[in-house]
Amino acid sequence: MASHSDTLVVFFGATAGANGGKLGSDEREIILLVWQIVDLHEKKVGKLQRCLVKPDTLELTDQCKEDTGLTLDDIVKAEPLDKALQQFQQSVSSELKCLGRSSYTLCVNSPLIIRQALHPEASKKNLVLPECFFTFVDVRKEFHKCCPNAGPVQKLELPSMLECILYKSLLKSHAAWQGEPVHYRKGRALVTQSCHFLFLDHEFSCVETVKYKFDSGTCKTEPVDSETVIRARGLPWQSSDQDIARFFKGLSIAKGGVALCLNAQGRRNGEALVRFINSEHRDLALERHKHHMGSRYIEVYKATGEEFLKIAGGTSNEVAQFLSKENQVIIRMRGLPFTATPQEVLSFLGPESPVTDDAEGLLFVKYPDGRPTGDAFVLFSCEEYAQNALKKHKQILGKRYIELFRSTAAEVQQVLNRYMSTPLISTLPPSPIVSTRDCVRLRGLPYTAGIEDILEFMGEHTVDIKPHGVHMVLNQQGRPSGDAFIQMKSSDKAFIVAQKCHKKTMKDRYVEVFQCSTEEMSIVLMGGTLNRSGLSPPPCKLPCLSPPTAYAAFPTPPAILSEAALYQPPLLAAPRPPQTTTHSPAHALAYYPPHPHLYMNMNMNYTAYYPRLPHHPAAAASSVMPQPGALVRMQGLPYNTGVKDILSFFQGYQVSMCGGGVALLLHRAWVC
């Protein structure tokens, strides 16, 4: 390991894009390395060395050309990064040998070249960096320790630091460098400042390190500083905590500081909360907004400590005991038979994938009443055993295929917390409406599937679909979830569709079709879950206007619009006729009055409501103009639209404000 009192190697670099305080923020590659050796004992400096680096993308920004004085012709014949690093090692080793030295410490003017440029690029290119790049000293922090009144560390620049500590003769030398490229000048200034520290017998003590590997583990339930947490969005669903740590390579993530977020169905939703060791590293992580993981760009935002603890905290004694073993690789198993025993799971994994402590390394996920969920977590002592286990993905145990994924300690806690807090279906308030099984659920739809694809899939059974009976279930990001519900004219029609269309193919994917009830459909559309373990209601609900179709799972007032009056083309806003004091009994109120059983979950699985199916016999019945008190649906509203904007749009028309008048839902609105 490099010594901190032997020899310094002053190191500097530049990328093909932004440099200075924004170095590394635009994901551009390194094109220049500059270094110089400082003998700490003899108080001498070596020759200033420079090495050009050829990036994979041969493109330089105008600012880069101005800062470095380089052109494409200069770098097109240069060596790639791995060869440049070899040249750096050989040059430094040769000079050290001449000086009779055996070790050195890297000295930089800013950690950006190490943390934001060199380590991320080496990680993407699968390069092994020399050990010296994992330990370094930052001359700005050393200066701030000597001159605390000079200003914040982040705002310290070499010229201002030189003016504070150097003699006039040295300042004249600095002025003589002005004809050189900026990175030569900065390199010389950095060496000059380092030498001055040496003349004052300064001891370099602010040693920074870069972690070789992310430490997975459990998250303590102590308060988490919000200035250390970010939210990463757009992650590939199969990403593990190690993949996320690799994306943030060069920055120090706290132990167990990666928490993968799950959706209402217990599946990863492409988001993660990441906790860093301090605010400095969090701020550097924010600079990686829209950097790439493979072909996907990742969005990085600020988050709070409460959000992190909500996902990663709350460990039960059972989970704490399971995760108490250090340096274990965690695999999640999904789809296990409910009767599966620990011995059957161990036999399924086989001798090539020995589980840590046998059955003690298995954690079965259960509901509060003890029923199995079909999920389990497994511990392996090394990466090799985990890789062997992952080869069993989608192999058969009993009569079921089993899915295996990499997992994290935070995901173990999150899954256990989710299932242990899931209310049983018996906790739902009793409904006076008897639900009939006149619906079918389509599961496993291609994410690109649309209404036309579903109608083609249904074939001759399309004529048995109720008007507006196709509901595409979206996830909480507004994207297709792969599920859809279809309301049929009768339970017999639903039964026939489930029998004849089950596992038919749509766009090279087989689609599962199940008969279900209106109640089950309603619960899912309102944010609940429906799986092989039963029906779970949505989380805590807030009273508000009901979404259209007045789901049968919840009692509705008798004065409710008929379906024909409810679903009208979106541009039927006609001026109201003169208002009368009485209405025909057929003209029902056009709004949903507040009612204790009408709810909308703020985390609901938003549903796309489609117009009446084409060529349906009943289509003509709903083509009448709305009567006084009718609803009008607006689609395609801007996301920042407010109630005032909608009222302004309908200027000259009378909008009823009884019971709310205007209901905003996602980017749609219902106007009464």
Side-chain angles (χ1 to χ4, degrees):
M1 187 170 179
S3 168
H4 307 305
S5 59
D6 190 8
T7 307
L8 280 181
V9 175
V10 177
F11 186 79
F12 207 86
T15 70
N19 289 290
K22 286 293 184 178
L23 188 145
S25 62
D26 55 1
E27 215 174 358
R28 294 299 188 96
E29 298 170 87
I30 294 173
I31 61 167
L32 176 67
L33 298 178
V34 180
W35 67 91
Q36 190 169 19
I37 288 183
V38 180
D39 188 335
L40 302 183
H41 291 301
E42 302 295 332
K43 298 181 179 178
K44 296 180 180 179
V45 298
K47 181 182 177 182
L48 188 66
Q49 304 284 352
R50 184 179 85 152
C51 179
L52 298 180
V53 183
K54 182 180 179 180
D56 293 341
T57 303
L58 293 173
E59 183 181 357
L60 303 180
T61 64
D62 293 338
Q63 187 62 44
C64 170
K65 294 177 182 178
E66 181 180 344
D67 288 344
T68 63
L70 297 175
T71 64
L72 282 178
D73 293 336
D74 295 325
I75 65 172
V76 72
K77 296 180 181 180
E79 297 289 349
L81 182 61
D82 57 339
K83 300 294 184 183
L85 292 174
Q86 289 179 14
Q87 181 178 335
F88 166 80
Q89 281 186 287
Q90 292 170 0
S91 173
V92 172
S93 299
S94 177
E95 287 195 60
L96 288 177
K97 188 175 181 181
C98 294
L99 294 173
R101 305 284 185 259
S102 59
S103 60
Y104 62 92
T105 298
L106 211 63
C107 178
V108 297
N109 177 48
S110 165
L112 297 182
I113 182 61
I114 302 294
R115 297 192 181 278
Q116 294 288 73
L118 191 57
H119 275 279
E121 184 173 341
S123 178
K124 290 179 181 178
K125 296 181 177 179
N126 295 315
L127 304 180
V128 179
L129 289 176
E131 185 181 356
C132 67
F133 292 114
F134 289 84
T135 306
F136 62 93
V137 292
D138 184 350
V139 74
R140 294 187 308 172
K141 293 182 179 178
E142 299 291 338
F143 175 83
H144 189 266
K145 186 170 62 174
C146 296
C147 307
N149 297 325
V153 173
Q154 293 79 5
K155 295 184 178 181
L156 291 176
E157 297 292 341
L158 283 172
S160 61
M161 290 189 287
L162 286 170
E163 289 176 5
C164 289
I165 65 173
L166 294 183
Y167 302 105
K168 292 183 178 180
S169 59
L170 291 175
L171 286 175
K172 292 180 180 179
S173 299
H174 181 253
W177 304 336
Q178 296 304 310
E180 296 180 340
V182 64
H183 285 84
Y184 265 3
R185 299 201 305 270
K186 289 185 177 180
R188 289 189 187 276
L190 185 53
V191 171
T192 303
Q193 183 173 340
S194 302
C195 291
H196 190 73
F197 280 148
L198 300 177
F199 299 154
L200 297 176
D201 294 325
H202 175 81
E203 181 181 352
F204 289 86
S205 58
C206 297
V207 181
E208 297 194 38
T209 60
V210 178
K211 289 186 176 181
Y212 287 89
K213 186 180 178 182
F214 166 66
D215 296 326
S216 58
T218 57
C219 169
K220 298 180 181 179
T221 55
E222 60 189 15
V224 175
D225 184 1
S226 293
E227 296 300 313
T228 64
V229 182
I230 61 94
R231 179 183 295 272
R233 181 177 299 164
L235 299 164
W237 67 269
Q238 71 272 29
S239 298
S240 67
D241 55 350
Q242 296 294 341
D243 296 321
I244 296 170
R246 186 175 182 181
F247 175 79
F248 290 109
K249 186 68 175 178
L251 307 179
S252 296
I253 300 175
K255 182 178 179 179
V258 176
L260 298 168
C261 301
L262 307 181
N263 61 19
Q265 288 73 41
R267 299 176 183 269
R268 297 174 186 173
N269 64 3
E271 295 189 5
L273 292 168
V274 185
R275 178 189 180 189
F276 294 90
I277 61 171
N278 57 38
S279 59
E280 178 188 357
H281 287 236
R282 193 285 304 266
D283 292 341
L284 293 179
L286 292 172
E287 293 294 330
R288 300 194 188 183
H289 179 59
K290 292 198 173 180
H291 283 203
H292 288 76
M293 180 184 289
S295 59
R296 300 174 65 97
Y297 73 82
I298 309 302
E299 300 172 68
V300 183
Y301 303 100
K302 291 182 179 180
T304 66
E306 292 181 357
E307 289 175 311
F308 181 83
L309 284 177
K310 183 178 179 181
I311 300 298
T315 308
S316 65
N317 292 334
E318 184 181 19
V319 175
Q321 183 178 358
F322 176 75
L323 297 174
S324 62
K325 303 175 181 64
E326 296 290 334
N327 301 320
Q328 299 292 307
V329 183
I330 306 175
I331 298 295
R332 180 180 179 182
M333 303 181 70
R334 193 164 61 198
L336 291 168
F338 297 144
T339 57
T341 65
Q343 190 56 47
E344 289 175 337
V345 174
L346 294 174
S347 300
F348 171 79
L349 294 171
E352 66 277 9
S353 310
V355 177
T356 302
D357 296 337
D358 294 327
E360 295 295 322
L362 295 175
L363 178 63
F364 290 90
V365 183
K366 299 179 181 180
Y367 287 108
D369 61 357
R371 291 182 297 118
T373 65
D375 280 28
F377 293 94
V378 190
L379 295 179
F380 296 97
S381 59
C382 67
E383 185 66 29
E384 179 185 356
Y385 296 159
Q387 287 289 352
N388 292 336
L390 290 173
K391 295 177 182 177
K392 304 278 187 178
H393 180 59
K394 292 201 173 180
Q395 291 191 15
I396 302 299
L397 174 59
K399 295 183 180 180
R400 303 185 63 86
Y401 72 83
I402 310 302
E403 298 174 291
L404 289 93
F405 309 96
R406 287 183 176 276
S407 188
T408 67
E411 186 174 25
V412 175
Q413 295 169 157
Q414 191 179 173
V415 170
L416 265 294
N417 292 344
R418 181 182 300 275
Y419 279 111
M420 291 304 293
S421 61
T422 300
L424 302 178
I425 188 61
S426 58
T427 63
L428 276 175
S431 172
I433 299 179
V434 179
S435 189
T436 58
R437 298 175 61 81
D438 59 350
C439 301
V440 291
R441 179 187 184 186
L442 275 59
R443 188 170 67 186
L445 294 169
Y447 293 128
T448 58
I451 284 291
E452 296 78 7
D453 300 307
I454 292 179
L455 296 180
E456 182 179 353
F457 175 82
M458 296 285 289
E460 61 184 9
H461 306 289
T462 302
V463 296
D464 298 322
I465 301 175
K466 284 184 178 180
H468 314 287
V470 180
H471 306 275
M472 300 287 287
V473 181
L474 309 181
N475 61 24
Q476 293 180 1
Q477 286 72 45
R479 302 186 181 97
S481 67
D483 280 24
F485 286 92
I486 301 178
Q487 295 174 283
M488 308 301 293
K489 290 182 177 179
S490 66
S491 57
D492 293 337
K493 301 294 185 182
F495 175 79
I496 294 173
V497 169
Q499 292 293 315
K500 294 190 175 182
C501 296
H502 184 56
K503 291 197 174 182
K504 276 180 59 177
T505 301
M506 180 189 298
K507 295 184 178 181
D508 298 327
R509 294 191 60 171
Y510 75 82
V511 178
E512 299 174 290
V513 183
F514 307 100
Q515 186 179 10
C516 65
S517 66
T518 305
E519 178 188 32
E520 291 169 332
M521 178 191 74
S522 303
I523 292 293
V524 173
L525 297 183
M526 294 294 289
T529 58
L530 173 63
N531 52 39
R532 55 180 176 271
S533 302
L535 185 64
S536 298
C540 180
K541 310 174 189 70
L542 297 174
C544 75
L545 293 178
S546 170
T549 68
Y551 298 126
F554 304 100
T556 56
I560 199 82
L561 277 179
S562 66
E563 188 177 35
L566 181 61
Y567 290 96
Q568 296 293 337
L571 295 177
L572 292 180
R576 291 174 178 259
Q579 197 73 17
T580 58
T581 55
T582 59
H583 295 292
S584 168
H587 296 161
L589 292 176
Y591 61 90
Y592 295 99
H595 191 280
H597 294 292
L598 290 178
Y599 295 99
M600 181 180 73
N601 174 23
M602 299 307 291
N603 296 316
M604 70 180 293
N605 298 331
Y606 294 112
T607 305
Y609 297 91
Y610 290 88
R612 183 176 302 280
L613 298 174
H615 310 300
H616 196 282
S622 66
S623 60
V624 296
M625 296 291 287
Q627 302 297 328
L631 287 177
V632 173
R633 181 172 62 146
M634 303 176 69
Q635 289 182 288
L637 293 172
Y639 287 99
N640 58 352
T641 300
V643 173
K644 290 183 178 179
D645 301 313
I646 294 176
L647 294 177
S648 176
F649 177 82
F650 283 104
Q651 187 174 3
Y653 299 88
Q654 185 176 354
V655 177
S656 170
M657 296 309 294
C658 299
V662 178
L664 288 169
L665 175 64
L666 201 56
H667 57 285
R668 300 180 176 86
W670 290 82
V671 184
C672 176

